[in-house]
Amino acid sequence: MSAVCCWRQVACCCGSAACALCCSFCPKIKQSTTTRLMYALYFILVTVTCGFMMSPTVADFMKDNIPFYKDVCEHIQAGDDCEKLVGYSAVYRVCFGMACFFFILFILTLFIRNSRSWRAYIHNGFWFIKFVVLIAMCSGAFFIPDQDTFLNVWRYVGAAFGFLFLLIQLMLLVEFAHKWNKNWMSGTAHNKLWYAALSLVTLILYSIAVGALILLAVFYTHPDGCQLNKILLGVNAGLCLLVSLVAILPCVQKRQPYSGLLQSGLISCYVMYLTFSSLSSKPPETMLDATGKNITICVPSFSKDLNQDGKLVSILGTIILFCCILHSCLTSTTRSSSDALRGRYTPPETEVARCCFCCSRSDGDDQEERTEKRGGQEVGYDEEKATVYSYSYFHFVFFLGTFYVMMTVTNWFHYRNAEIEKLFSGSWSPFWIKMASCWVCILLYLWTLVAPLCCPTREYSV
């Protein structure tokens, strides 16, 4: 590592310089990208720490393999076996520290227009100092007095903000569905093959949704029981059919010519996925068979076998869940997504149809940028004239994501016996949260269809 690269890393950690790798063969990276990746790294580190705190396996491993474990625990006043550093209460405290960290940055970065102000320098640099501050906040939360009151209040605060983060996820899904259909529909004016692409993808999406409904009916219902599962499957299937019919009504098509079955099929697939996830989280039911023996129903046999054989499914599911949370935090802070959440959309006449429209040109590609070369990876300073994304909104989304992680890891309101290895085991709280998400998603999408009819004097563009 050259002296220039070492100095660059010091300037990144303790100054306002953008972070970059020392390898000169790496492709050019933008300052806005490095900043978001660094905050995402902080988020991942705290999330992984919370996962370890909720794992009895990790706690037992540390107890058996760390020398003088009890002495260390007593010295830091964490209990005889460091019980204060594990479990749901420890996760609440750590997430409290991270939430405070992102909330302070949210307040600090309000109304920043470019990257040349001193507040922008704090947002884009000083990574080591901010990391120390984050650790100090997470550690300081363990010294909050009156822990019982704090935990009880913080639980309900976490539930409220966690559901708000989930709502943003659903709004972005609805926005993505409309954007997809509008982008491909704009291509039909120049090439009729886009009609074939629309028809093919729509057919695939509805085939997946119908197939999922059939499989859920086969594996999660029983002729003599599972009445709740049958009702919920019927309700969700009926809602998917309703929004599909509304999307192609002549009155809706007149006000929104880009409305169609493509986005309805995507929403239906997602609703079926949430239905599957919620039914998988539901506690199993039991009934007496012909011999008078209790048997478990409403849970597929393969699910029971996987739960008995090991913890692979739960571990993989946890990793996928955290990746989805991180993806939502990053994608919801782009300029186009934040504008969509406020009802601002690209004019149809400027839309260019692309097969991979979601991977199209980024928000800041049209801006002039200064390039810095210091013997390693090139860095483009792309925000000297205007920011590519809203700094304050970026931190606010991570602030909400912290609560969602906290509530998910601690199994929402079934927190006392929560373990990371049993994150996807049967529990009523995750079941109703996911089922409510289905209905909220349907209502949001339905509102985007009927809003122009309810408020004809207001302009809507999706």
Side-chain angles (χ1 to χ4, degrees), residues 380-409:
Y381 290 84
D382 57 335
E383 297 184 308
E384 293 189 338
K385 290 188 175 181
T387 58
V388 174
Y389 60 99
S390 171
Y391 291 174
S392 57
Y393 178 66
F394 175 85
H395 291 298
F396 183 70
V397 171
F398 270 89
F399 169 74
L400 297 180
T402 301
F403 290 102
Y404 188 73
V405 167
M406 181 184 79
M407 298 306 295
T408 303
V409 170

PDB file of all heavy atoms in Angstrom, residues 380-409:
ATOM      1  N   GLY A 380     -15.476  10.186  -8.304  1.00  0.00           N
ATOM      2  CA  GLY A 380     -16.145  11.314  -8.939  1.00  0.00           C
ATOM      3  C   GLY A 380     -17.003  12.065  -7.936  1.00  0.00           C
ATOM      4  O   GLY A 380     -17.892  11.481  -7.313  1.00  0.00           O
ATOM      5  N   TYR A 381     -16.719  13.349  -7.763  1.00  0.00           N
ATOM      6  CA  TYR A 381     -17.494  14.191  -6.845  1.00  0.00           C
ATOM      7  C   TYR A 381     -18.690  14.740  -7.621  1.00  0.00           C
ATOM      8  O   TYR A 381     -18.595  15.762  -8.310  1.00  0.00           O
ATOM      9  CB  TYR A 381     -16.621  15.299  -6.273  1.00  0.00           C
ATOM     10  CG  TYR A 381     -15.583  14.792  -5.300  1.00  0.00           C
ATOM     11  CD1 TYR A 381     -14.369  14.295  -5.744  1.00  0.00           C
ATOM     12  CD2 TYR A 381     -15.829  14.778  -3.931  1.00  0.00           C
ATOM     13  CE1 TYR A 381     -13.416  13.812  -4.859  1.00  0.00           C
ATOM     14  CE2 TYR A 381     -14.889  14.301  -3.027  1.00  0.00           C
ATOM     15  CZ  TYR A 381     -13.686  13.818  -3.502  1.00  0.00           C
ATOM     16  OH  TYR A 381     -12.757  13.327  -2.615  1.00  0.00           O
ATOM     17  N   ASP A 382     -19.800  14.044  -7.520  1.00  0.00           N
ATOM     18  CA  ASP A 382     -20.967  14.299  -8.373  1.00  0.00           C
ATOM     19  C   ASP A 382     -22.032  15.169  -7.713  1.00  0.00           C
ATOM     20  O   ASP A 382     -23.117  15.319  -8.263  1.00  0.00           O
ATOM     21  CB  ASP A 382     -21.605  12.978  -8.795  1.00  0.00           C
ATOM     22  CG  ASP A 382     -22.004  12.117  -7.605  1.00  0.00           C
ATOM     23  OD1 ASP A 382     -21.394  12.280  -6.524  1.00  0.00           O
ATOM     24  OD2 ASP A 382     -22.912  11.275  -7.739  1.00  0.00           O
ATOM     25  N   GLU A 383     -21.743  15.745  -6.542  1.00  0.00           N
ATOM     26  CA  GLU A 383     -22.771  16.520  -5.838  1.00  0.00           C
ATOM     27  C   GLU A 383     -22.326  17.935  -5.506  1.00  0.00           C
ATOM     28  O   GLU A 383     -22.868  18.546  -4.591  1.00  0.00           O
ATOM     29  CB  GLU A 383     -23.175  15.793  -4.553  1.00  0.00           C
ATOM     30  CG  GLU A 383     -23.811  14.438  -4.779  1.00  0.00           C
ATOM     31  CD  GLU A 383     -24.271  13.797  -3.486  1.00  0.00           C
ATOM     32  OE1 GLU A 383     -23.468  13.706  -2.550  1.00  0.00           O
ATOM     33  OE2 GLU A 383     -25.441  13.402  -3.423  1.00  0.00           O
ATOM     34  N   GLU A 384     -21.352  18.469  -6.224  1.00  0.00           N
ATOM     35  CA  GLU A 384     -20.871  19.810  -5.908  1.00  0.00           C
ATOM     36  C   GLU A 384     -21.856  20.889  -6.350  1.00  0.00           C
ATOM     37  O   GLU A 384     -21.890  21.973  -5.788  1.00  0.00           O
ATOM     38  CB  GLU A 384     -19.510  20.032  -6.557  1.00  0.00           C
ATOM     39  CG  GLU A 384     -18.422  19.147  -5.943  1.00  0.00           C
ATOM     40  CD  GLU A 384     -17.039  19.519  -6.420  1.00  0.00           C
ATOM     41  OE1 GLU A 384     -16.951  20.135  -7.506  1.00  0.00           O
ATOM     42  OE2 GLU A 384     -16.059  19.202  -5.723  1.00  0.00           O
ATOM     43  N   LYS A 385     -22.681  20.586  -7.377  1.00  0.00           N
ATOM     44  CA  LYS A 385     -23.697  21.538  -7.813  1.00  0.00           C
ATOM     45  C   LYS A 385     -25.052  21.270  -7.176  1.00  0.00           C
ATOM     46  O   LYS A 385     -25.777  22.202  -6.830  1.00  0.00           O
ATOM     47  CB  LYS A 385     -23.821  21.518  -9.329  1.00  0.00           C
ATOM     48  CG  LYS A 385     -22.612  22.102 -10.046  1.00  0.00           C
ATOM     49  CD  LYS A 385     -22.876  22.239 -11.531  1.00  0.00           C
ATOM     50  CE  LYS A 385     -21.705  22.931 -12.232  1.00  0.00           C
ATOM     51  NZ  LYS A 385     -21.961  23.088 -13.694  1.00  0.00           N
ATOM     52  N   ALA A 386     -25.404  19.998  -7.056  1.00  0.00           N
ATOM     53  CA  ALA A 386     -26.689  19.625  -6.440  1.00  0.00           C
ATOM     54  C   ALA A 386     -26.582  18.196  -5.942  1.00  0.00           C
ATOM     55  O   ALA A 386     -25.840  17.382  -6.503  1.00  0.00           O
ATOM     56  CB  ALA A 386     -27.832  19.749  -7.450  1.00  0.00           C
ATOM     57  N   THR A 387     -27.294  17.893  -4.887  1.00  0.00           N
ATOM     58  CA  THR A 387     -27.249  16.549  -4.322  1.00  0.00           C
ATOM     59  C   THR A 387     -28.014  15.567  -5.212  1.00  0.00           C
ATOM     60  O   THR A 387     -29.026  15.906  -5.813  1.00  0.00           O
ATOM     61  CB  THR A 387     -27.859  16.527  -2.909  1.00  0.00           C
ATOM     62  OG1 THR A 387     -29.206  17.011  -2.975  1.00  0.00           O
ATOM     63  CG2 THR A 387     -27.046  17.389  -1.964  1.00  0.00           C
ATOM     64  N   VAL A 388     -27.526  14.343  -5.276  1.00  0.00           N
ATOM     65  CA  VAL A 388     -28.175  13.290  -6.057  1.00  0.00           C
ATOM     66  C   VAL A 388     -29.393  12.743  -5.324  1.00  0.00           C
ATOM     67  O   VAL A 388     -30.357  12.300  -5.944  1.00  0.00           O
ATOM     68  CB  VAL A 388     -27.162  12.166  -6.363  1.00  0.00           C
ATOM     69  CG1 VAL A 388     -27.834  10.987  -7.059  1.00  0.00           C
ATOM     70  CG2 VAL A 388     -26.032  12.699  -7.234  1.00  0.00           C
ATOM     71  N   TYR A 389     -29.360  12.755  -4.005  1.00  0.00           N
ATOM     72  CA  TYR A 389     -30.456  12.262  -3.185  1.00  0.00           C
ATOM     73  C   TYR A 389     -30.594  13.160  -1.968  1.00  0.00           C
ATOM     74  O   TYR A 389     -29.703  13.953  -1.656  1.00  0.00           O
ATOM     75  CB  TYR A 389     -30.199  10.816  -2.750  1.00  0.00           C
ATOM     76  CG  TYR A 389     -28.939  10.642  -1.923  1.00  0.00           C
ATOM     77  CD1 TYR A 389     -29.001  10.555  -0.541  1.00  0.00           C
ATOM     78  CD2 TYR A 389     -27.687  10.568  -2.540  1.00  0.00           C
ATOM     79  CE1 TYR A 389     -27.850  10.416   0.217  1.00  0.00           C
ATOM     80  CE2 TYR A 389     -26.533  10.418  -1.792  1.00  0.00           C
ATOM     81  CZ  TYR A 389     -26.620  10.347  -0.421  1.00  0.00           C
ATOM     82  OH  TYR A 389     -25.479  10.213   0.325  1.00  0.00           O
ATOM     83  N   SER A 390     -31.716  13.044  -1.305  1.00  0.00           N
ATOM     84  CA  SER A 390     -31.959  13.858  -0.115  1.00  0.00           C
ATOM     85  C   SER A 390     -31.227  13.249   1.083  1.00  0.00           C
ATOM     86  O   SER A 390     -31.519  12.125   1.491  1.00  0.00           O
ATOM     87  CB  SER A 390     -33.462  13.941   0.172  1.00  0.00           C
ATOM     88  OG  SER A 390     -33.705  14.551   1.417  1.00  0.00           O
ATOM     89  N   TYR A 391     -30.269  13.981   1.629  1.00  0.00           N
ATOM     90  CA  TYR A 391     -29.499  13.466   2.765  1.00  0.00           C
ATOM     91  C   TYR A 391     -30.399  13.187   3.974  1.00  0.00           C
ATOM     92  O   TYR A 391     -30.296  12.139   4.621  1.00  0.00           O
ATOM     93  CB  TYR A 391     -28.416  14.474   3.162  1.00  0.00           C
ATOM     94  CG  TYR A 391     -27.297  14.635   2.168  1.00  0.00           C
ATOM     95  CD1 TYR A 391     -26.321  15.616   2.345  1.00  0.00           C
ATOM     96  CD2 TYR A 391     -27.203  13.818   1.040  1.00  0.00           C
ATOM     97  CE1 TYR A 391     -25.279  15.777   1.445  1.00  0.00           C
ATOM     98  CE2 TYR A 391     -26.165  13.972   0.131  1.00  0.00           C
ATOM     99  CZ  TYR A 391     -25.210  14.956   0.338  1.00  0.00           C
ATOM    100  OH  TYR A 391     -24.184  15.110  -0.551  1.00  0.00           O
ATOM    101  N   SER A 392     -31.263  14.132   4.280  1.00  0.00           N
ATOM    102  CA  SER A 392     -32.105  13.969   5.471  1.00  0.00           C
ATOM    103  C   SER A 392     -33.083  12.808   5.301  1.00  0.00           C
ATOM    104  O   SER A 392     -33.292  12.023   6.235  1.00  0.00           O
ATOM    105  CB  SER A 392     -32.864  15.274   5.751  1.00  0.00           C
ATOM    106  OG  SER A 392     -33.646  15.648   4.629  1.00  0.00           O
ATOM    107  N   TYR A 393     -33.675  12.675   4.124  1.00  0.00           N
ATOM    108  CA  TYR A 393     -34.595  11.568   3.889  1.00  0.00           C
ATOM    109  C   TYR A 393     -33.856  10.234   3.944  1.00  0.00           C
ATOM    110  O   TYR A 393     -34.400   9.227   4.424  1.00  0.00           O
ATOM    111  CB  TYR A 393     -35.279  11.746   2.539  1.00  0.00           C
ATOM    112  CG  TYR A 393     -36.222  10.622   2.176  1.00  0.00           C
ATOM    113  CD1 TYR A 393     -37.383  10.396   2.911  1.00  0.00           C
ATOM    114  CD2 TYR A 393     -35.942   9.779   1.114  1.00  0.00           C
ATOM    115  CE1 TYR A 393     -38.233   9.357   2.580  1.00  0.00           C
ATOM    116  CE2 TYR A 393     -36.786   8.740   0.779  1.00  0.00           C
ATOM    117  CZ  TYR A 393     -37.935   8.535   1.518  1.00  0.00           C
ATOM    118  OH  TYR A 393     -38.770   7.507   1.199  1.00  0.00           O
ATOM    119  N   PHE A 394     -32.618  10.207   3.460  1.00  0.00           N
ATOM    120  CA  PHE A 394     -31.789   9.011   3.535  1.00  0.00           C
ATOM    121  C   PHE A 394     -31.637   8.540   4.977  1.00  0.00           C
ATOM    122  O   PHE A 394     -31.848   7.359   5.295  1.00  0.00           O
ATOM    123  CB  PHE A 394     -30.427   9.314   2.915  1.00  0.00           C
ATOM    124  CG  PHE A 394     -29.421   8.206   3.019  1.00  0.00           C
ATOM    125  CD1 PHE A 394     -29.387   7.192   2.087  1.00  0.00           C
ATOM    126  CD2 PHE A 394     -28.505   8.181   4.062  1.00  0.00           C
ATOM    127  CE1 PHE A 394     -28.459   6.166   2.173  1.00  0.00           C
ATOM    128  CE2 PHE A 394     -27.573   7.161   4.159  1.00  0.00           C
ATOM    129  CZ  PHE A 394     -27.556   6.150   3.222  1.00  0.00           C
ATOM    130  N   HIS A 395     -31.290   9.451   5.860  1.00  0.00           N
ATOM    131  CA  HIS A 395     -31.114   9.071   7.271  1.00  0.00           C
ATOM    132  C   HIS A 395     -32.449   8.729   7.928  1.00  0.00           C
ATOM    133  O   HIS A 395     -32.496   7.871   8.814  1.00  0.00           O
ATOM    134  CB  HIS A 395     -30.424  10.212   8.020  1.00  0.00           C
ATOM    135  CG  HIS A 395     -29.008  10.422   7.617  1.00  0.00           C
ATOM    136  ND1 HIS A 395     -28.032   9.468   7.777  1.00  0.00           N
ATOM    137  CD2 HIS A 395     -28.396  11.491   7.033  1.00  0.00           C
ATOM    138  CE1 HIS A 395     -26.874   9.927   7.323  1.00  0.00           C
ATOM    139  NE2 HIS A 395     -27.069  11.142   6.867  1.00  0.00           N
ATOM    140  N   PHE A 396     -33.517   9.376   7.493  1.00  0.00           N
ATOM    141  CA  PHE A 396     -34.822   9.063   8.075  1.00  0.00           C
ATOM    142  C   PHE A 396     -35.252   7.642   7.721  1.00  0.00           C
ATOM    143  O   PHE A 396     -35.822   6.932   8.560  1.00  0.00           O
ATOM    144  CB  PHE A 396     -35.866  10.064   7.588  1.00  0.00           C
ATOM    145  CG  PHE A 396     -37.223   9.874   8.192  1.00  0.00           C
ATOM    146  CD1 PHE A 396     -37.445  10.166   9.523  1.00  0.00           C
ATOM    147  CD2 PHE A 396     -38.283   9.381   7.438  1.00  0.00           C
ATOM    148  CE1 PHE A 396     -38.697   9.976  10.104  1.00  0.00           C
ATOM    149  CE2 PHE A 396     -39.528   9.191   7.997  1.00  0.00           C
ATOM    150  CZ  PHE A 396     -39.748   9.487   9.331  1.00  0.00           C
ATOM    151  N   VAL A 397     -34.976   7.202   6.498  1.00  0.00           N
ATOM    152  CA  VAL A 397     -35.315   5.834   6.112  1.00  0.00           C
ATOM    153  C   VAL A 397     -34.497   4.820   6.913  1.00  0.00           C
ATOM    154  O   VAL A 397     -35.024   3.800   7.376  1.00  0.00           O
ATOM    155  CB  VAL A 397     -35.107   5.638   4.600  1.00  0.00           C
ATOM    156  CG1 VAL A 397     -35.238   4.166   4.224  1.00  0.00           C
ATOM    157  CG2 VAL A 397     -36.118   6.450   3.810  1.00  0.00           C
ATOM    158  N   PHE A 398     -33.229   5.079   7.119  1.00  0.00           N
ATOM    159  CA  PHE A 398     -32.419   4.188   7.953  1.00  0.00           C
ATOM    160  C   PHE A 398     -32.883   4.230   9.408  1.00  0.00           C
ATOM    161  O   PHE A 398     -32.800   3.227  10.122  1.00  0.00           O
ATOM    162  CB  PHE A 398     -30.943   4.556   7.854  1.00  0.00           C
ATOM    163  CG  PHE A 398     -30.219   3.849   6.751  1.00  0.00           C
ATOM    164  CD1 PHE A 398     -30.160   4.396   5.486  1.00  0.00           C
ATOM    165  CD2 PHE A 398     -29.610   2.629   6.960  1.00  0.00           C
ATOM    166  CE1 PHE A 398     -29.508   3.755   4.463  1.00  0.00           C
ATOM    167  CE2 PHE A 398     -28.960   1.977   5.953  1.00  0.00           C
ATOM    168  CZ  PHE A 398     -28.904   2.531   4.687  1.00  0.00           C
ATOM    169  N   PHE A 399     -33.344   5.390   9.848  1.00  0.00           N
ATOM    170  CA  PHE A 399     -33.927   5.516  11.187  1.00  0.00           C
ATOM    171  C   PHE A 399     -35.132   4.585  11.324  1.00  0.00           C
ATOM    172  O   PHE A 399     -35.257   3.842  12.310  1.00  0.00           O
ATOM    173  CB  PHE A 399     -34.313   6.977  11.410  1.00  0.00           C
ATOM    174  CG  PHE A 399     -35.157   7.238  12.623  1.00  0.00           C
ATOM    175  CD1 PHE A 399     -34.615   7.201  13.894  1.00  0.00           C
ATOM    176  CD2 PHE A 399     -36.512   7.534  12.493  1.00  0.00           C
ATOM    177  CE1 PHE A 399     -35.398   7.455  15.024  1.00  0.00           C
ATOM    178  CE2 PHE A 399     -37.302   7.787  13.603  1.00  0.00           C
ATOM    179  CZ  PHE A 399     -36.740   7.751  14.875  1.00  0.00           C
ATOM    180  N   LEU A 400     -36.017   4.586  10.341  1.00  0.00           N
ATOM    181  CA  LEU A 400     -37.179   3.696  10.366  1.00  0.00           C
ATOM    182  C   LEU A 400     -36.753   2.236  10.210  1.00  0.00           C
ATOM    183  O   LEU A 400     -37.318   1.340  10.847  1.00  0.00           O
ATOM    184  CB  LEU A 400     -38.151   4.073   9.250  1.00  0.00           C
ATOM    185  CG  LEU A 400     -38.793   5.459   9.323  1.00  0.00           C
ATOM    186  CD1 LEU A 400     -39.730   5.666   8.140  1.00  0.00           C
ATOM    187  CD2 LEU A 400     -39.549   5.648  10.631  1.00  0.00           C
ATOM    188  N   GLY A 401     -35.764   1.989   9.349  1.00  0.00           N
ATOM    189  CA  GLY A 401     -35.289   0.622   9.172  1.00  0.00           C
ATOM    190  C   GLY A 401     -34.724   0.020  10.442  1.00  0.00           C
ATOM    191  O   GLY A 401     -34.819  -1.193  10.663  1.00  0.00           O
ATOM    192  N   THR A 402     -34.149   0.859  11.293  1.00  0.00           N
ATOM    193  CA  THR A 402     -33.637   0.367  12.583  1.00  0.00           C
ATOM    194  C   THR A 402     -34.758  -0.216  13.432  1.00  0.00           C
ATOM    195  O   THR A 402     -34.608  -1.274  14.048  1.00  0.00           O
ATOM    196  CB  THR A 402     -32.955   1.522  13.330  1.00  0.00           C
ATOM    197  OG1 THR A 402     -31.884   2.037  12.537  1.00  0.00           O
ATOM    198  CG2 THR A 402     -32.412   1.050  14.673  1.00  0.00           C
ATOM    199  N   PHE A 403     -35.893   0.450  13.456  1.00  0.00           N
ATOM    200  CA  PHE A 403     -37.026  -0.055  14.230  1.00  0.00           C
ATOM    201  C   PHE A 403     -37.564  -1.356  13.633  1.00  0.00           C
ATOM    202  O   PHE A 403     -37.963  -2.259  14.373  1.00  0.00           O
ATOM    203  CB  PHE A 403     -38.131   0.996  14.288  1.00  0.00           C
ATOM    204  CG  PHE A 403     -37.795   2.189  15.118  1.00  0.00           C
ATOM    205  CD1 PHE A 403     -37.399   3.380  14.531  1.00  0.00           C
ATOM    206  CD2 PHE A 403     -37.866   2.130  16.502  1.00  0.00           C
ATOM    207  CE1 PHE A 403     -37.086   4.489  15.299  1.00  0.00           C
ATOM    208  CE2 PHE A 403     -37.547   3.233  17.281  1.00  0.00           C
ATOM    209  CZ  PHE A 403     -37.157   4.411  16.671  1.00  0.00           C
ATOM    210  N   TYR A 404     -37.605  -1.430  12.315  1.00  0.00           N
ATOM    211  CA  TYR A 404     -38.103  -2.649  11.688  1.00  0.00           C
ATOM    212  C   TYR A 404     -37.192  -3.834  12.000  1.00  0.00           C
ATOM    213  O   TYR A 404     -37.666  -4.942  12.273  1.00  0.00           O
ATOM    214  CB  TYR A 404     -38.214  -2.443  10.176  1.00  0.00           C
ATOM    215  CG  TYR A 404     -38.902  -3.579   9.465  1.00  0.00           C
ATOM    216  CD1 TYR A 404     -40.271  -3.767   9.577  1.00  0.00           C
ATOM    217  CD2 TYR A 404     -38.182  -4.471   8.686  1.00  0.00           C
ATOM    218  CE1 TYR A 404     -40.906  -4.814   8.940  1.00  0.00           C
ATOM    219  CE2 TYR A 404     -38.805  -5.519   8.037  1.00  0.00           C
ATOM    220  CZ  TYR A 404     -40.168  -5.687   8.163  1.00  0.00           C
ATOM    221  OH  TYR A 404     -40.787  -6.733   7.530  1.00  0.00           O
ATOM    222  N   VAL A 405     -35.881  -3.599  11.979  1.00  0.00           N
ATOM    223  CA  VAL A 405     -34.938  -4.652  12.360  1.00  0.00           C
ATOM    224  C   VAL A 405     -35.146  -5.053  13.816  1.00  0.00           C
ATOM    225  O   VAL A 405     -35.188  -6.244  14.160  1.00  0.00           O
ATOM    226  CB  VAL A 405     -33.487  -4.180  12.136  1.00  0.00           C
ATOM    227  CG1 VAL A 405     -32.500  -5.122  12.811  1.00  0.00           C
ATOM    228  CG2 VAL A 405     -33.182  -4.102  10.648  1.00  0.00           C
ATOM    229  N   MET A 406     -35.296  -4.064  14.680  1.00  0.00           N
ATOM    230  CA  MET A 406     -35.473  -4.340  16.107  1.00  0.00           C
ATOM    231  C   MET A 406     -36.703  -5.192  16.363  1.00  0.00           C
ATOM    232  O   MET A 406     -36.645  -6.196  17.093  1.00  0.00           O
ATOM    233  CB  MET A 406     -35.581  -3.016  16.867  1.00  0.00           C
ATOM    234  CG  MET A 406     -35.739  -3.157  18.366  1.00  0.00           C
ATOM    235  SD  MET A 406     -35.982  -1.572  19.201  1.00  0.00           S
ATOM    236  CE  MET A 406     -37.719  -1.282  18.859  1.00  0.00           C
ATOM    237  N   MET A 407     -37.813  -4.839  15.745  1.00  0.00           N
ATOM    238  CA  MET A 407     -39.050  -5.575  15.986  1.00  0.00           C
ATOM    239  C   MET A 407     -39.024  -6.958  15.321  1.00  0.00           C
ATOM    240  O   MET A 407     -39.551  -7.925  15.870  1.00  0.00           O
ATOM    241  CB  MET A 407     -40.243  -4.771  15.469  1.00  0.00           C
ATOM    242  CG  MET A 407     -40.433  -3.434  16.160  1.00  0.00           C
ATOM    243  SD  MET A 407     -40.530  -3.551  17.965  1.00  0.00           S
ATOM    244  CE  MET A 407     -42.055  -4.481  18.164  1.00  0.00           C
ATOM    245  N   THR A 408     -38.405  -7.055  14.151  1.00  0.00           N
ATOM    246  CA  THR A 408     -38.348  -8.339  13.462  1.00  0.00           C
ATOM    247  C   THR A 408     -37.458  -9.323  14.197  1.00  0.00           C
ATOM    248  O   THR A 408     -37.818 -10.491  14.391  1.00  0.00           O
ATOM    249  CB  THR A 408     -37.841  -8.141  12.023  1.00  0.00           C
ATOM    250  OG1 THR A 408     -38.692  -7.224  11.337  1.00  0.00           O
ATOM    251  CG2 THR A 408     -37.827  -9.463  11.265  1.00  0.00           C
ATOM    252  N   VAL A 409     -36.286  -8.879  14.627  1.00  0.00           N
ATOM    253  CA  VAL A 409     -35.348  -9.765  15.323  1.00  0.00           C
ATOM    254  C   VAL A 409     -35.930 -10.251  16.645  1.00  0.00           C
ATOM    255  O   VAL A 409     -35.710 -11.400  17.046  1.00  0.00           O
ATOM    256  CB  VAL A 409     -34.006  -9.033  15.539  1.00  0.00           C
ATOM    257  CG1 VAL A 409     -33.106  -9.824  16.469  1.00  0.00           C
ATOM    258  CG2 VAL A 409     -33.306  -8.821  14.209  1.00  0.00           C
TER     259      VAL A 409
END
